[in-house]
Amino acid sequence: MLEILFCMYMLLFYMIVFFSFGSLATVRMKAEKFSVTLTMMIGFFLYYGIFQIIAVPCTFLKLPLSWLAAIWLILVAVVILYVCGSAAGRNIWLQAFDGIRRQAKRQPFWTLVPLLVVAAQAVFAVMWQTDYWDATYYIGDVSLSVYTNTISLYDPLTGEMRSAFDIRHCFATYLAQDAVVCKAFGIHPLIEMKTVMGVVVTVVNNLVTYNIARLLFKGNREHTGLMVVFALLVNLFTYTAYTSSGFLLLRSYEGKAVLGSVIVPAVLYIAARLYQDEKNKAYWWLLLLFCQSSCAISSSSMTLIPVEVGALTFCLTLLKRDWRPFAKGLLCMTPCLLILLLYVASTLGLFVVKI
């Protein structure tokens, strides 16, 4: 019972942090009406994007995990205190939550339905998880980092210290974030990854789905709620080991699950907003953020996300009959391509960082 309560507290912690980080961006988006769900979605990406910038140097400097945990918790505290202390931010929050309250009073059923869908999917994700061989690597990496107070210096498959850094996973700091949380809060890696992060990814997946539905149906509450329900049914009846639904329901805590169920549709959402207004600089900055933070979550992003961004911006170029959207798309995917270049160089022995 205590473990369940602790997991709920950790879920609340993540949601508060995502909302705080997202508010740094959304309160400054003058052309965009403040949205709680959009703020939390953006905050998820901003959180991991900033964490990568801090964690990668700490990894190569071979700093103790406890140092990274201290640095990161201080930064998180500063962000939360800053957004809470901002009068403009507080006013926008009060208006947004008051709007949710009034909407819930007018349409209680369609306010409750998305919440029930998220709760049901979270239960499925936690109860149905299976142990693929990848779990050995991911959970082993976090466990070794926590109990040796290092940052990915040990091979989780052998338990021995690596001779050189694994470049492919060094920039994917998703696991390092889990290790930081485990170190800071004293939570076991299995509980943090398979339970807490399993539910967190489920919630963020539904945030993305909700925002896409809200965009497609122009804010219609009933139609948006129906699409969230339909998305759950699609996931329930199409999951296999080789679909994004399978990763979401069976392996929700893994980086590839986040890539297939959160990052790819979130990039699609930004592309749809760019189709509406490709001259809005805020959407291009968000696309750059999503590309950069995608590599912080899953190493597979360095190949998949450039393909998606290239295809979407190329289509936008054809529809708008203007070459600039595609050129901007190439600039946005630069972080992915840079990490891909370093990884290829490491496989050829051209970029090797000894431990």
Side-chain angles (χ1 to χ4, degrees):
M1 186 64 183
L2 289 176
E3 289 184 351
I4 294 175
L5 289 175
F6 187 72
C7 289
M8 293 175 66
Y9 284 131
M10 289 303 302
L11 175 62
L12 180 62
F13 166 78
Y14 273 111
M15 295 303 107
I16 292 173
V17 170
F18 293 161
F19 186 74
S20 299
F21 273 76
S23 295
L24 294 175
T26 52
V27 296
R28 291 169 173 78
M29 296 171 65
K30 303 302 181 183
E32 179 81 27
K33 184 180 178 180
F34 185 85
S35 165
V36 173
T37 56
L38 181 63
T39 297
M40 293 180 70
M41 185 182 90
I42 293 173
F44 172 81
F45 287 96
L46 190 58
Y47 175 85
Y48 279 100
I50 296 176
F51 181 81
Q52 183 196 51
I53 294 172
I54 294 175
V56 169
C58 291
T59 301
F60 285 124
L61 290 172
K62 295 185 284 187
L63 296 182
L65 179 66
S66 55
W67 287 30
L68 175 59
I71 293 169
W72 184 241
L73 286 180
I74 290 171
L75 178 61
V76 168
V78 168
V79 170
I80 293 174
L81 291 174
Y82 172 77
V83 295
C84 290
S86 170
R90 285 200 306 271
N91 291 334
I92 293 174
W93 292 351
L94 290 173
Q95 293 174 11
F97 284 110
D98 185 59
I100 292 174
R101 182 188 60 80
R102 286 187 276 106
Q103 189 69 42
K105 191 174 181 180
R106 287 197 302 268
Q107 294 179 297
F109 180 77
W110 292 110
T111 301
L112 185 61
V113 164
L115 297 177
L116 292 176
V117 168
V118 173
Q121 191 169 318
V123 172
F124 295 149
V126 173
M127 298 297 293
W128 289 0
Q129 284 187 24
T130 55
D131 292 322
Y132 289 86
W133 72 269
D134 282 350
T136 303
Y137 186 95
Y138 299 136
I139 297 175
D141 184 85
V142 175
S143 299
L144 280 169
S145 295
V146 171
Y147 294 113
T148 61
N149 197 28
T150 59
I151 308 173
S152 299
L153 294 185
Y154 290 85
D155 186 337
L157 299 179
T158 64
E160 298 177 354
M161 181 174 283
R162 294 185 171 106
S163 60
F165 285 103
D166 181 1
I167 300 302
R168 177 188 169 191
H169 292 101
C170 271
F171 291 95
T173 52
Y174 181 72
L175 297 178
Q177 192 280 150
D178 284 328
V180 162
V181 170
C182 292
K183 193 71 175 178
F185 294 97
I187 184 171
H188 194 282
L190 274 173
I191 297 176
E192 159 65 14
M193 299 179 72
K194 286 206 163 192
T195 302
V196 177
M197 287 310 300
V199 176
V200 167
V201 172
T202 298
V203 172
V204 178
N205 165 257
N206 280 279
L207 289 173
V208 176
T209 302
Y210 184 86
N211 279 290
I212 291 174
R214 199 162 59 100
L215 178 64
L216 290 176
F217 299 112
K218 300 178 180 178
N220 185 294
R221 197 86 166 184
E222 180 179 347
H223 294 168
T224 300
L226 283 172
M227 181 170 170
V228 173
V229 174
F230 179 73
L232 172 63
L233 294 175
V234 169
N235 285 324
L236 287 176
F237 292 102
T238 62
Y239 74 90
T240 71
Y242 307 103
T243 64
S244 60
S245 298
F247 275 92
L248 180 63
L249 295 178
L250 302 178
R251 310 163 67 175
S252 54
Y253 63 93
E254 295 183 14
K256 287 189 283 292
V258 185
L259 173 59
S261 303
V262 174
I263 299 171
V264 169
V267 170
L268 181 63
Y269 170 81
I270 294 299
R273 299 309 300 263
L274 287 170
Y275 174 75
Q276 292 181 327
D277 183 12
E278 82 281 3
K279 294 183 180 179
N280 192 323
K281 293 181 180 179
Y283 299 144
W284 288 109
W285 282 111
L286 287 178
L287 183 60
L288 175 63
L289 168 65
F290 287 10
C291 288
Q292 182 258 324
S293 58
S294 69
C295 290
I297 297 169
S298 172
S299 57
S300 301
S301 298
M302 61 186 174
T303 54
L304 183 59
I305 295 305
V307 172
E308 183 187 15
V309 172
L312 292 173
T313 53
F314 181 70
C315 290
L316 192 60
T317 287
L318 294 179
L319 290 170
K320 302 294 183 179
R321 296 182 180 180
D322 185 357
W323 59 270
R324 282 174 291 186
F326 184 67
K328 291 178 181 178
L330 290 175
L331 290 175
C332 289
M333 67 176 77
T334 300
C336 297
L337 298 177
L338 205 57
I339 293 175
L340 176 61
L341 180 64
L342 291 175
Y343 169 64
V344 172
S346 70
T347 60
L348 298 175
L350 302 176
F351 181 66
V352 178
V353 182
K354 298 288 186 180
I355 295 177

